[in-house]
Amino acid sequence: MLRLIRTEQQYENTLARIYELMQIDLQPDSEESDELEILSMLVKKYEDEHYPVPEPSPIEAIKHRMEQLNISDAELSEILGARSRKSEILSGKRKLSLSMIRALKERLNISADILIQLY
């Protein structure tokens, strides 16, 4: 019987069951594949409540995305509007403007919610 995960022991047991299910060659729309999907949702809910992951700072997000997309410093300068702005932004000496946030959201696909945070 599927239930909400309320304790660490239930969490551990659910993870063990998920592992068991992942070792099977599951067929789509089978009881086991439905069980795996539901258990995964329950684990995500528990983890979101008990192990929240903080959002990265805007600077961390920009650096991470640059690395992921293999964006050069020159390309970031182009996105931000000037070379000096790039170094000032990444060093924390200058805050992002609304036009910079829009450009970063569009070009690097970084959530505006992350970019508008205080840092």
Side-chain angles (χ1 to χ4, degrees):
M1 180 166 147
L2 297 173
R3 308 180 107 174
L4 286 175
I5 301 169
R6 298 189 197 290
T7 67
E8 192 67 26
Q9 185 61 51
Q10 290 172 332
Y11 173 69
E12 293 295 330
N13 292 342
T14 304
L15 289 177
R17 178 62 182 153
I18 287 172
Y19 180 78
E20 289 173 16
L21 291 169
M22 292 178 74
Q23 303 311 304
I24 303 170
D25 183 23
L26 297 176
Q27 299 303 312
D29 298 323
S30 67
E31 281 188 38
E32 290 88 2
S33 70
D34 289 346
E35 180 184 2
L36 177 59
E37 186 173 354
I38 292 168
L39 291 175
S40 297
M41 289 188 291
L42 293 171
V43 164
K44 179 177 180 348
K45 180 181 177 349
Y46 184 85
E47 288 176 345
D48 287 348
E49 292 172 2
H50 293 85
Y51 305 108
V53 177
E55 298 259 333
S57 75
I59 294 170
E60 290 170 340
I62 293 167
K63 288 178 179 179
H64 179 72
R65 212 54 190 135
M66 285 177 65
E67 186 178 312
Q68 279 184 322
L69 299 173
N70 200 24
I71 301 274
S72 69
D73 285 351
E75 290 171 289
L76 182 61
S77 293
E78 180 186 312
I79 293 168
L80 297 175
R83 180 174 297 280
S84 62
R85 286 190 187 145
K86 178 211 53 102
S87 60
E88 290 172 346
I89 296 288
L90 294 182
S91 69
K93 293 179 183 175
R94 181 184 201 120
K95 302 296 182 196
L96 292 168
S97 69
L98 185 55
S99 62
M100 290 176 191
I101 290 170
R102 285 181 178 143
L104 290 164
K105 181 183 181 316
E106 182 179 315
R107 301 270 303 274
L108 300 185
N109 199 25
I110 301 173
S111 167
D113 290 341
I114 291 173
L115 295 171
I116 62 173
Q117 294 180 83
L118 293 175
Y119 61 99

